[in-house]
Amino acid sequence: MDFKQAATLGSFISKDYTEDLFRLLATYSSISASEAASRLNLHIKTVQDFMEAMFELGILEREEVYEKKRPYYRYTLKLKKISMELDLSTLYPKENSDERTSIMIREKKNAGVRFTTSRDNQYISNIAIWTGQGRDRTERKINLSIPQGRFLFHLPFPSAEFQSIGKIMQKADVDSSNISEVLDIVDALIELGVIENDDHSK
């Protein structure tokens, strides 16, 4: 089950009427959306959406039948148990993180960002980024993990030479096991215009 399917299932499972609909499906050999809606005093569209969603998830079977030349679906409960299992392995970085440590970066000039250091002044604890103009100007605050904070503490200033991600990690004493979270904040800050990279280093 992927996240989209899990979200669909979770959305319907949380509804007050879901248990009653499943009880009807377990009781009847097959049932139409209109029959179920009238039985539970629900809107037909509500039940149709539920039935179709459960069919798409493989929880129900459906059969198209004809009555007075008007086709409609009858639904049958296919499963006696529903389990939600998400494969989180698909969320891990797909590219080789080690190859990206050679990318050259530095802080971007006039980025409109405020760095707040930790109490011991050893790393950046959070950053505040200002976006928009005038009354529409808003602040976005990002709290950092300690490895991210150490890395950004050693980020080259806008007037300094570009340095590789790997070199900055080495200066900041950030372990290579933290590379994925370092790359995550670098990518986010490039997108937000806080960090710039040297195109020739790609």
Side-chain angles (χ1 to χ4, degrees):
M1 183 175 291
D2 60 26
F3 272 89
K4 185 177 181 180
Q5 292 171 323
T8 299
L9 178 59
S11 174
F12 280 101
I13 287 293
S14 66
K15 304 298 184 183
D16 292 337
Y17 54 76
T18 298
E19 184 177 354
D20 290 331
L21 280 172
F22 275 126
R23 185 177 290 110
L24 281 182
L25 286 159
T27 302
Y28 289 67
S29 58
S30 69
I31 193 169
S32 69
S34 62
E35 291 167 354
S38 63
R39 174 67 178 78
L40 298 178
N41 195 28
L42 296 171
H43 194 283
I44 180 65
K45 182 68 165 54
T46 298
V47 179
Q48 285 176 335
D49 289 345
F50 172 87
M51 297 293 196
E52 282 302 299
M54 295 305 106
F55 168 73
E56 293 294 333
L57 290 171
I59 297 170
L60 302 183
E61 292 179 335
R62 74 181 185 188
E63 178 187 8
E64 190 173 24
V65 297
Y66 293 85
E67 184 178 317
K68 297 180 181 179
K69 298 183 179 180
R70 294 186 63 184
Y72 66 97
Y73 290 116
R74 299 193 68 81
Y75 298 89
T76 303
L77 190 58
K78 182 179 179 180
L79 304 176
K80 289 188 177 181
K81 290 184 179 181
I82 300 173
S83 60
M84 184 184 294
E85 182 176 307
L86 289 173
D87 182 9
L88 300 182
S89 65
T90 60
L91 303 181
Y92 284 86
K94 295 179 176 61
E95 57 187 308
N96 190 337
S97 298
D98 292 336
E99 293 180 359
R100 299 192 60 206
T101 58
S102 61
I103 296 176
M104 310 288 284
I105 63 171
R106 68 184 176 191
E107 181 186 345
K108 191 173 183 178
K109 187 177 181 180
N110 298 324
V113 62
R114 183 181 72 247
F115 295 91
T116 301
T117 58
S118 61
R119 290 182 179 180
D120 59 6
N121 202 38
Q122 295 298 307
Y123 60 91
I124 305 296
S125 60
N126 66 74
I127 56 177
I129 305 157
W130 292 93
T131 59
Q133 299 292 331
R135 293 182 178 179
D136 294 328
R137 198 168 185 234
T138 58
E139 182 187 53
R140 177 180 175 183
K141 184 178 178 181
I142 302 177
N143 294 321
L144 305 170
S145 68
I146 291 178
Q148 289 174 335
R150 287 176 178 167
F151 178 86
L152 292 179
F153 191 81
H154 292 83
L155 182 70
F157 293 118
S159 58
E161 296 292 327
F162 286 97
Q163 287 188 15
S164 71
I165 292 174
K167 182 67 174 179
I168 300 170
M169 287 182 65
Q170 186 178 10
K171 288 176 60 179
D173 196 26
V174 174
D175 192 86
S176 59
S177 63
N178 302 120
I179 181 62
S180 60
E181 61 189 272
V182 167
L183 291 175
D184 178 67
I185 195 63
V186 167
D187 288 339
L189 295 182
I190 287 175
E191 185 177 345
L192 291 168
V194 175
I195 288 177
E196 62 178 345
N197 58 352
D198 183 0
D199 293 334
H200 299 293
S201 69
K202 294 181 181 180

